[in-house]
Amino acid sequence: MQPKLILKEIANTIHNSKDRYTAHEKVKKYFEELCSDMKFIHRALKDCIVDPKFLNNADNLFFYLLVEGDVMIAINLFPPIYDREKNITHDNIHHHGWRLLTTGVISGNGYETINFVKKSHEKVENNEVKLEIKSMYRHELGGSKFIDSDQAHVVFHPEATTATLALWSANKQLRNQKIKKMLKNFPNIRKFITTMTHKLQINQILGLNQIKGVYFHPENGKIVETKNYTKPFDGPVEEIVPCMFKFFQQIKLNDSSFFLKIKEFLNPKYKHLCDKLIANETIPDLEIKGNIRRRFSKDQILKAINN
């Protein structure tokens, strides 16, 4: 079955279920099988990167495979940090609002993560966010992990590139779902409606996710909300594209005929990556510098919570 049909099947299962928690549990086994199905992963990635705009404009460590209504399915990359310092955050502590997340590792040795008690970020005293730790673990190959809506969590850069398959959905059926499906081919109109909805502060009425009270970080020995911050790009193209090719090599996605076509439209600065991939020459894990507003240590976080 074509990847698009497989992804559509998962999305339909979620959309047609009134109980979204049950729906995530229902697709869990199938989802976990897809994480290790390299034939599916390869074909899904090819469908994504064959668009000339994708690699030449890549500034995020995401391969969006499906975005339909409130369901999103993507492959996420987690590269090592450039200076190889251990236990540095991949992004700020954050939650996904009303979104549920099921995620499984595709490749790599996994990453360390901390999950916090659902809605504990809402406990604020004198501008200090009273987060409570629910679990700390290493997300590795085999099985999947589930993150609840309004559950803050944080991921730390791994020692070597790790990739996950991620499935997001709303925690309940949304009234704006049909509208989002209708507008999926009109991104500019959809973006305008979304922007105006947030400005008018009617996002809850129309089922849009919140954009405030989402990101947090340690500061002066306590956890505080990160102000004036929405998730920025993950890095410049010259950092992101080598990370992607390292991942392709990691999963043995190196079809010569396909990547010779990619090479035709790829920015000349990255054509050598196609050559290395096809020739099976080692592509170094070049790491990523990241954004200074996202750089914190596990030690800083734990000290702030236990303060």
Side-chain angles (χ1 to χ4, degrees):
M1 188 185 299
Q2 292 293 327
K4 290 181 180 179
L5 295 178
I6 292 172
L7 297 168
K8 181 81 171 178
E9 183 180 333
I10 293 174
N12 286 341
T13 299
I14 301 290
H15 283 144
N16 295 332
S17 177
K18 292 183 178 180
D19 186 332
R20 293 301 180 82
Y21 288 87
T22 300
H24 272 254
E25 186 63 31
K26 185 175 181 179
V27 302
K28 177 181 176 180
K29 185 177 179 181
Y30 186 31
F31 180 84
E32 290 173 349
E33 290 173 354
L34 291 178
C35 289
S36 59
D37 184 347
M38 286 303 118
K39 184 176 181 181
F40 162 77
I41 297 296
H42 286 190
R43 293 170 72 182
L45 283 168
K46 285 181 177 180
D47 287 345
C48 185
I49 65 177
V50 74
D51 180 351
K53 295 179 182 178
F54 185 85
L55 288 173
N56 287 324
N57 298 315
D59 60 6
N60 275 285
L61 295 164
F62 283 81
F63 299 88
Y64 286 105
L65 307 182
L66 176 138
V67 179
E68 186 169 295
D70 62 273
V71 174
M72 293 190 298
I73 303 175
I75 291 174
N76 302 347
L77 297 187
F78 299 88
I81 193 75
Y82 76 102
D83 57 5
R84 294 288 173 165
E85 188 170 341
K86 293 184 177 180
N87 297 321
I88 298 298
T89 51
H90 175 77
D91 194 2
N92 290 36
I93 299 167
H94 65 281
H95 63 86
H96 298 296
W98 43 246
R99 292 193 184 279
L100 306 177
L101 170 62
T102 295
T103 176
V105 174
I106 296 172
S107 65
N109 297 324
Y111 55 72
E112 301 292 331
T113 186
I114 301 175
N115 286 348
F116 300 93
V117 174
K118 181 183 172 87
K119 292 191 175 183
S120 63
H121 61 274
E122 296 180 359
K123 300 175 185 177
V124 182
E125 297 177 11
N126 298 320
N127 294 321
E128 180 176 0
V129 181
K130 298 293 187 176
L131 283 173
E132 300 173 44
I133 294 176
K134 181 177 182 180
S135 61
M136 298 173 60
Y137 60 86
R138 187 173 187 85
H139 191 15
E140 299 178 297
L141 284 166
S144 62
K145 297 294 184 181
F146 177 79
I147 296 178
D148 204 346
S149 57
D150 296 302
Q151 183 177 15
H153 53 281
V154 64
V155 171
F156 299 93
H157 280 282
E159 299 83 8
T161 293
T162 290
T164 63
L165 184 65
L167 164 65
W168 288 274
S169 83
N171 57 4
K172 60 184 178 182
Q173 291 184 328
L174 300 177
R175 64 185 71 187
N176 68 343
Q177 182 175 300
K178 290 183 179 179
I179 297 174
K180 289 176 74 176
K181 283 185 177 181
M182 287 168 38
L183 293 176
K184 72 177 183 178
N185 293 321
F186 303 95
N188 290 333
I189 296 176
R190 180 172 167 177
K191 183 178 181 180
F192 172 76
I193 292 174
T194 299
T195 301
M196 292 305 300
T197 298
H198 285 301
K199 283 186 176 180
L200 295 171
Q201 297 184 356
I202 56 174
N203 47 301
Q204 283 190 321
I205 296 174
L206 295 184
L208 293 184
N209 219 339
Q210 67 190 88
I211 57 175
K212 293 183 179 180
V214 174
Y215 292 93
F216 312 91
H217 67 274
E219 183 178 294
N220 298 324
K222 61 183 181 181
I223 301 296
V224 299
E225 181 183 344
T226 310
K227 301 290 187 179
N228 302 315
Y229 178 93
T230 55
K231 184 174 174 62
F233 68 96
D234 289 316
V237 180
E238 53 265 28
E239 285 186 22
I240 300 297
V241 172
C243 289
M244 290 181 167
F245 273 83
K246 179 63 181 179
F247 167 55
F248 300 154
Q249 188 168 72
Q250 198 176 52
I251 61 171
K252 296 181 171 58
L253 174 58
N254 55 4
D255 183 280
S256 59
S257 59
F258 177 78
F259 279 99
L260 284 174
K261 291 179 181 177
I262 295 295
K263 186 178 177 181
E264 290 177 4
F265 60 72
L266 192 61
N267 187 307
K269 291 190 291 187
Y270 313 121
K271 290 181 184 292
H272 70 284
L273 294 170
C274 284
D275 295 333
K276 284 181 175 291
L277 193 64
I278 293 169
N280 200 28
E281 294 180 18
T282 299
I283 297 174
D285 225 336
L286 292 179
E287 308 112 9
I288 192 167
K289 288 185 178 179
N291 186 306
I292 191 65
R293 295 198 70 192
R294 300 163 62 169
R295 185 186 173 105
F296 306 97
S297 71
K298 181 189 287 186
D299 189 52
Q300 283 179 295
I301 292 171
L302 295 180
K303 283 183 178 179
I305 290 174
N306 295 323
N307 188 6

